[in-house]
Amino acid sequence: RSAEERIAHLMCELLLRLRAVGRTAGDGYALPITQEDLADTTGVTSVHVNRTLGSLKQRGLIELSGRQLRILDLAGLEALAEFKPNYLHLGGRDAA
């Protein structure tokens, strides 16, 4: 996966996992990690994370404000990431 696809996938997965435990607000959630943390998690440089986040914002897929992430176009983000949630085995808990 490209850096953009990796970061998009992580954002989609976090949304579903946090929904399952009631820690989302609509299609948004707290993202209290740094760009360096995102870089370590996705295997890219922090400079590339910065560029990728800018690209995702510019495409209208996400909005970052402080430590809050809001997914503006979930279907678009999932399509970019080729995200398939069935591997998470949440058993319907993602619908919360």
Side-chain angles (χ1 to χ4, degrees):
R1 290 190 172 125
S2 71
E4 202 168 55
E5 293 165 341
R6 291 178 198 185
I7 291 171
H9 194 281
L10 178 63
M11 290 175 172
C12 292
E13 180 173 336
L14 286 173
L15 178 66
L16 288 187
R17 288 179 179 273
L18 290 169
R19 267 188 188 159
V21 294
R23 303 288 294 180
T24 60
D27 284 341
Y29 52 88
L31 189 65
I33 59 176
T34 66
Q35 289 185 13
E36 289 82 15
D37 294 330
L38 281 173
D40 288 344
T41 301
T42 57
V44 299
T45 67
S46 58
V47 171
H48 207 77
V49 168
N50 185 278
R51 289 182 187 141
T52 300
L53 292 175
S55 174
L56 293 174
K57 289 179 201 176
Q58 186 176 33
R59 293 171 66 172
L61 297 173
I62 66 165
E63 178 179 271
L64 274 171
S65 179
R67 301 283 180 161
Q68 288 292 126
L69 171 71
R70 190 166 142 232
I71 298 174
L72 302 173
D73 180 359
L74 181 57
L77 197 66
E78 288 176 336
L80 171 65
E82 296 182 11
F83 184 73
K84 306 283 188 266
N86 57 339
Y87 77 97
L88 294 170
H89 304 287
L90 294 173
R93 289 178 284 170
D94 60 326

